[in-house]
């Protein structure tokens, strides 16, 4: 199964991210991520078996032990890839607690011999794939208000022709 560990967005923040995405759909072509799939990935594991998933759960427990809520503050929009076929994302401030949590999750995965995508951690919420972002102003956009996240989840990613669906496998509450 394809798996990843992510910080779940608190409800109000998630609603505001979905509203921002709806506003962007009017200005940008692309395949927008459905609101229920918005999250902040801490570590992408890729294909794992049952034993590796159980080990990832133990890593999640260890990484989150004693950790409190994580502050989320939007910093603006960005893209990965080519301008005519980009991944459009909402940047999240590199808050010390968030950066520490990501490092702890990755450290606990490594300590258990679990592979993950080792690209530098850049906190963001993916809004659209295959996006074509026009040059110039995108109009008035309402960015989410700061909030605190309290749930870290190991998700299974199920790929469908219409996009991915995410099934929570294991969740740890922060704080």
């Amino acid at each position: 199964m394809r798996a990843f560990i992510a910080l779940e967005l608190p409800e109000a923040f998630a609603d505001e991210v979905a509203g921002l995405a709806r506003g962007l759909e009017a200005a940008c072509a692309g395949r927008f991520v459905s609101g229920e799939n918005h999250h902040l990935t801490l570590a992408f594991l890729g294909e794992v078996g049952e034993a590796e998933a159980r080990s990832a759960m133990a890593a999640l427990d260890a990484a989150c032990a004693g950790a409190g809520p994580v502050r989320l503050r939007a910093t603006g929009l960005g893209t990965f890839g080519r301008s005519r076929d980009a991944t459009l994302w909402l940047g999240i401030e590199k808050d010390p607690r968030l950066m520490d949590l990501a490092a702890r999750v990755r450290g606990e995965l490594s300590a258990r011999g679990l592979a993950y995508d080792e690209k530098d951690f850049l906190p963001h919420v993916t809004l659209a794939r295959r996006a074509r972002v026009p040059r110039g102003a995108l109009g008035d956009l309402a960015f989410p208000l700061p909030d605190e996240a309290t749930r870290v989840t190991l998700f299974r990613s199920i790929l469908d022709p219409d996009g991915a669906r995410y099934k929570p496998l294991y969740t740890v509450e922060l704080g």
Side-chain angles (χ1 to χ4, degrees):
M1 74 182 101
R2 283 172 50 98
F4 63 93
I5 294 173
L7 195 58
E8 291 188 41
L9 304 182
E11 187 175 348
F13 194 88
D15 289 346
E16 292 170 3
V17 169
L20 172 64
R22 283 190 302 274
L24 286 165
E25 279 185 282
C28 303
R31 195 175 78 217
F32 277 78
V33 175
S34 64
E36 65 269 6
N37 282 350
H38 290 146
H39 61 273
L40 194 156
T41 300
L42 299 172
F44 179 75
L45 304 175
E47 292 294 327
V48 299
E50 291 296 325
E52 292 165 312
R54 284 192 298 279
S55 189
M57 292 174 193
L60 193 51
D61 281 334
C64 295
V70 174
R71 184 171 182 259
L72 300 178
R73 188 173 92 59
T75 59
L77 300 173
T79 59
F80 297 128
R82 299 180 309 254
S83 62
R84 301 299 296 165
D85 184 21
T87 297
L88 175 63
W89 47 264
L90 172 66
I92 302 296
E93 181 178 75
K94 292 181 178 181
D95 182 82
R97 281 189 179 177
L98 172 58
M99 301 307 285
D100 181 59
L101 179 62
R104 288 173 62 174
V105 165
R106 290 164 173 232
E108 292 294 339
L109 291 169
S110 291
R112 288 164 176 75
L114 292 170
Y116 60 91
D117 184 344
E118 294 187 26
K119 289 183 193 135
D120 288 342
F121 176 62
L122 177 65
H124 69 278
V125 177
T126 298
L127 301 175
R129 293 186 180 15
R130 305 191 81 119
R132 289 173 301 286
V133 181
R135 296 185 190 267
L138 295 172
D140 289 332
L141 299 173
F143 287 88
L145 296 174
D147 206 339
E148 287 189 333
T150 60
R151 296 170 56 94
V152 182
T153 299
L154 172 64
F155 285 98
R156 177 179 181 188
S157 176
I158 303 162
L159 301 179
D160 289 334
D162 295 332
R165 289 183 297 117
Y166 305 137
K167 177 182 177 186
L169 299 176
Y170 186 73
T171 299
V172 176
E173 295 284 338
L174 301 173

